Every structure is written in structure tokens, then in C-alpha cells.
Amino acid sequence: MSETNLPYWLEVPAIKGDLAPPPKNASIVIVGSGLSGVSAGYFLQKHGFEDILILDYKTEESATYRNCGHILHGTVESMKAFSEIHGYEKAKELWQFSIDICQVVQSTILELKIDADYRRDGYLVIAIDKSEELECQVSVKLLKKAGFHSEFIDAIEISKLGFKNCLGARFEKGSAQAHPVKFRNGVLNEYLRGGGKYHSDVKVTKLEDSSSGVLVQTDKGPIHSDAVVIAANAYSPLFSDFFKTRRLIEPFRGQIITSKPLKHQFKVKYPHSFDHGYEYALITEDNRLMIGGWRNYSPTKEVGIYSIETNPLITDGLKKFAENHYEINEEIQWQYSWAGIMGASQTSLPFIGPTNSDRIFSCAGYTGHGFSWAHGSAALLARIIAGSSVPSVAKYFSPKTLGLK
Ligand SMILES: Cc1cc2nc3c(=O)[nH]c(=O)nc-3n(C[C@H](O)[C@H](O)[C@H](O)COP(=O)(O)OP(=O)(O)OC[C@H]3O[C@@H](n4cnc5c(N)ncnc54)[C@H](O)[C@@H]3O)c2cc1C
């Protein structure tokens, strides 16, 4: 295979932490330096917390640098599926929260003046079979009934937008996109300016709770802390007994390919997906086609995997998918192909709040929609830890309650 397996986004290097041994004590230890971890550090500082220590291990393997840059309203489910799982009233509440957290991302970008190639041009969910077309139509109706923006676009209009072999689509104007590494680095820099500590290549192996605090066991020795935030998404069960024993989060591998810059003028550059979200795409600032997914066609569905090696079956499937669904009169040359590990939540919602210990908190379990959810969940978690008021929707994410089921 000729493609490099470095993610396109990592052409902008992810800032790493101090490689010296970490301090032996910290008030709050955050495990993870991806979007969740740096956002937790940033928001906790905003609430006045000090002496915070972020730890990470194998920094660049994190999903944060390996995603498709979509910042989307909703979750991985359509409004139709979401209403069937949770009931319409709860689905509406959760949908509104998903919009609010996209707004939090935008506010952070503006407040910190982060140059993250942020654009807010909408999101297109494209149907490639009749069942999905119907799902789009029903979802548009449900979303409109609830007062959210959503539009149905028919097959003729979709073909005019440069797509082939597609049926109708659902368009939502509020969704956005950004460069995930630039955004994460921008938030991290603010945390570091605020006096936060960050150490890399420290593998957390266990969290031991006691009446005097939490002992964070690592391969560089134990760290005593008053509280811990688990911000390791798919990796959380590897060192947290709470997640391991309850199997609340399962890892699965996602894969993306990205072309060389194209001459072709795309009519839709903003985030779009096909096939019930199993394929997702974006046109980069330098006019490359970035497309990911296809795991549904792998015999294992790529579930239970922590290796970020790419699967050639998926790489080939994505290339063929692009040929079948984009009207591009130019040979596409692929340059990047990479994989990353996402965390599927058993409840289809993230786990935000205290776990079975009042000193060990989590913000994790985003099932593929982690850009806005990681940042927004961290904002919510900081409020919970600070004892500030929280929206009523927070109860749906309580790890303590969900973990008991
Ligand atoms: C292929 C792919 C495409 C995606 N596309 C999108 C998209 O377009 N839009 C979207 O919203 N979401 C997308 N996602 C999901 C999104 O990227 C993730 O949900 C989000 O990045 C999770 O961020 P996080 O910080 O919680 O976890 P991660 O970014 O995975 O970070 C985990 C952190 O935990 C640390 N860690 C792990 N184990 C240990 C340990 N033992 N000790 C110390 N530290 C440890 C790691 O070093 C890392 O810092 C995609 C994901 C993938 C893989």
C-alpha cells in the first residue's frame, strides 16, 4: 500500500507533555490528553481548581487526532432511531443538549481565538438505500415537530450536488467542522498558560480509591490525588475497574483515507455521511477528499480492537465507495490511510459524572461523535465537580446510575 498511515491532521503535530517523571502528588489527575482530557483541564481551571495534572500514554494513537473533523448535532443515531431508543421527549432533550455542546465548541474557539479552520456550513445525511431514505424523511419530520432545523433533499437535488447512486438526504444547517489537532492544541495551550501540568508517556494501570484520596498507579510510580477524571474514552476499561467490570464502553476501530489535493470543485465541502452514518466524509481546506467508515462490512465489525493498524479490506472498500458515490472526473490518488479507536457506549450515551467512587469521575463513551461531545461533556463534568447548577439532561449521563443497571 502506498499511503502513509500518519493521519492527515497530524501534519500539525500534537503538543506532547513533559517526559520527566510525573509529580508524586496532584489535587486532580486527569487520565487522557485528547479532546476530553484537555477540555476537562481547561474547564476545571475556569471553575477555580488548581494543581491539575494531565497524564497520557502513546499520545498520537488517540482518536482525537484520527477523526473526520465533524462537529455534529445529535448523536450517531438518526432522530427516528434516537426516539425509538429513548422515547420522543427524552430524545428531544438530548438533541437540544447536543446542539448546546456544539455551541460550546464554537464559543471556546472564539473566546480563545483558536485558529482551527472552524466552519459552520451544515451537515448532510445521505441515503443510499430506500430504508435510509425513509429514515431521513421520518427524522426530518420529528426534528421539525420538535422545533429543530432539518430539511429533506430529494435524489435529483443530491445528484446536482455531485453525488452518484444516492437517494434523498437530510440537511441540518447548524453542524460544523474543525481541525481536531489545532482545536485540541489550542485548548491545551490555554490550560498550560493557566498553570496546568501535563506529562506524557505515563501509563496508568489502576485507580485505587481510599478515604484519603485516589492512588493512581502508573508505570512511573504511584501518584496521590484528591480526585481523578477518567478521560480516556475507549481505553477507560484498561485501567478502571468500574468500566471494566460493567463493560460500559467497548472499543472499536474506525478507519479513514484521504486523497491528494484534487482539481475537482466539490459543491459540498461540509461534513456528510452515507449508509446510516457508516461512511462519513469531509473536504479538507486544501481540497482533499477525506472519507472514513466501512467497518460494517468487516466480519468482526472492528469491535474489541485496540490495534491502530489499518485493515486493507476497509481501505479498499472506502476507495470503491468513493468511486461509486462521488461524481469526480479525475483519477483520485490516495495519500493517507489511518485508523483510530472509538468507544461504544452500552447505553448509547456518554458517562459524565462520579463513578461508584465520589472521587473518581468520568467523561467518556461517545460512540463515534466525540468532537463536540468530548468538549461539551468536559464542560458539564467541571460543573458537576464544582457543585454548580447543571441542566436536567445531566441525569441521563450519570455513570453511577447507569453503571448499576
Ligand atoms: C476514525 C474515526 C473517525 C471519527 N470521526 C469523528 C467525527 O468526525 N466527529 C466526531 O465527533 N467524532 C469522531 N470520532 C470520535 C472522536 O474522535 C472521539 O470520540 C474523541 O476524539 C474522543 O476523545 P477523548 O479525548 O475522549 O479520547 P481519545 O482521543 O481516544 O484520547 C484518549 C486518551 O487517553 C489516554 N490514555 C489511554 N490509556 C491510557 C493509560 N493507560 N494511561 C494514561 N493515558 C491513557 C491516551 O493517551 C489519550 O490521551 C472519530 C473517531 C475515529 C477513530
Side-chain angles (χ1 to χ4, degrees):
M1 194 170 61
S2 54
E3 300 94 15
T4 159
N5 65 9
L6 175 85
Y8 165 77
W9 306 118
L10 278 174
E11 295 290 358
V12 175
I15 297 168
K16 280 193 75 161
D18 194 337
L19 297 176
K24 303 236 174 296
N25 297 283
S27 177
I28 302 178
V29 170
I30 298 173
V31 187
S33 69
L35 280 168
S36 296
V38 300
S39 303
Y42 164 67
F43 286 114
L44 283 166
Q45 280 180 340
K46 277 193 140 194
H47 283 277
F49 290 97
E50 291 175 350
D51 190 23
I52 304 171
L53 169 64
I54 293 181
L55 301 174
D56 74 14
Y57 178 65
K58 296 188 178 170
T59 314
E60 294 188 342
E61 291 201 4
S62 317
T64 289
Y65 319 115
R66 297 172 174 274
N67 59 48
C68 207
H70 293 190
I71 301 169
L72 307 179
H73 289 184
T75 70
V76 282
E77 313 290 352
S78 68
M79 187 54 160
K80 177 179 178 289
F82 210 41
S83 302
E84 284 162 5
I85 298 170
H86 300 287
Y88 185 53
E89 291 307 316
K90 181 173 167 187
K92 278 196 308 192
E93 231 185 308
L94 289 164
W95 201 274
Q96 182 58 54
F97 183 72
S98 78
I99 294 175
D100 297 344
I101 57 180
C102 286
Q103 197 56 47
V104 176
V105 174
Q106 181 174 297
S107 302
T108 300
I109 287 174
L110 293 176
E111 196 177 320
L112 301 184
K113 298 188 175 60
I114 303 174
D115 177 9
D117 306 329
Y118 178 76
R119 280 194 277 130
R120 192 172 180 183
D121 299 327
Y123 174 48
L124 205 51
V125 180
I126 305 170
I128 58 169
D129 65 37
K130 277 279 169 202
S131 74
E132 195 182 6
E133 186 184 24
L134 182 65
E135 183 148 10
C136 283
Q137 282 166 334
V138 175
S139 293
V140 168
K141 275 192 196 140
L142 290 171
L143 286 164
K144 280 185 163 172
K145 194 173 131 196
F148 301 116
H149 169 267
S150 190
E151 277 171 52
F152 184 75
I153 297 181
D154 66 22
I156 297 169
E157 287 304 311
I158 280 297
S159 68
K160 286 187 194 157
L161 290 175
F163 298 102
K164 290 194 289 193
N165 304 317
C166 295
L167 301 173
R170 168 165 68 87
F171 176 71
E172 272 144 32
K173 65 180 177 193
S175 292
Q177 69 195 71
H179 191 301
V181 180
K182 290 183 182 176
F183 178 65
R184 176 270 186 186
N185 282 352
V187 177
L188 173 64
N189 276 330
E190 183 66 14
Y191 162 81
L192 295 172
R193 274 193 292 272
K197 294 179 204 134
Y198 170 28
H199 283 251
S200 281
D201 293 347
V202 182
K203 184 178 186 180
V204 173
T205 51
K206 204 169 174 48
L207 304 176
E208 290 171 9
D209 188 23
S210 76
S211 55
S212 60
V214 185
L215 196 59
V216 180
Q217 295 290 1
T218 82
D219 63 349
K220 305 273 165 29
I223 302 170
H224 298 261
S225 66
D226 299 326
V228 168
V229 173
I230 300 170
N233 203 32
Y235 302 91
S236 309
L238 297 181
F239 58 85
S240 153
D241 285 341
F242 177 79
F243 282 105
K244 186 177 168 188
T245 52
R246 291 164 180 80
R247 302 197 66 176
L248 295 176
I249 298 176
E250 291 282 351
F252 65 97
R253 181 167 60 189
Q255 214 168 298
I256 293 183
I257 56 173
T258 299
S259 74
K260 289 188 174 171
L262 296 164
K263 293 192 191 75
H264 177 75
Q265 287 306 309
F266 288 92
K267 292 203 175 96
V268 171
K269 297 191 174 195
Y270 53 80
H272 48 285
S273 68
F274 312 82
D275 188 14
H276 304 272
Y278 276 109
E279 281 75 49
Y280 38 87
L282 183 79
I283 310 305
T284 63
E285 290 286 300
D286 53 355
N287 208 44
R288 298 164 189 267
L289 173 59
M290 177 180 288
I291 180 160
W294 203 257
R295 74 175 182 94
N296 208 26
Y297 300 95
S298 153
T300 62
K301 310 265 188 262
E302 306 293 277
V303 173
I305 296 176
Y306 278 110
S307 155
I308 57 161
E309 228 172 87
T310 53
N311 177 344
L313 179 139
I314 291 185
T315 313
D316 290 347
L318 286 171
K319 289 179 184 174
K320 288 196 185 100
F321 188 90
E323 279 167 28
N324 281 339
H325 292 290
Y326 290 88
E327 197 72 68
I328 300 176
N329 294 323
E330 177 184 342
E331 194 197 336
I332 304 177
Q333 294 197 23
W334 297 101
Q335 186 175 356
Y336 299 87
S337 172
W338 69 86
I341 311 301
M342 300 184 233
S345 158
Q346 197 197 81
T347 64
S348 87
L349 296 174
F351 302 99
I352 313 165
T355 61
N356 57 340
S357 152
D358 285 336
R359 294 174 180 275
I360 304 178
F361 300 84
S362 76
C363 58
Y366 312 116
T367 318
H369 271 212
F371 201 136
S372 52
W373 279 91
H375 192 63
S377 300
L380 177 60
L381 181 66
R383 295 188 71 84
I384 293 171
I385 296 176
S388 305
S389 63
V390 292
S392 67
V393 74
K395 62 182 176 290
Y396 301 131
F397 311 126
S398 163
K400 204 180 252 182
T401 321
L402 299 168
L404 288 176
K405 285 184 184 159

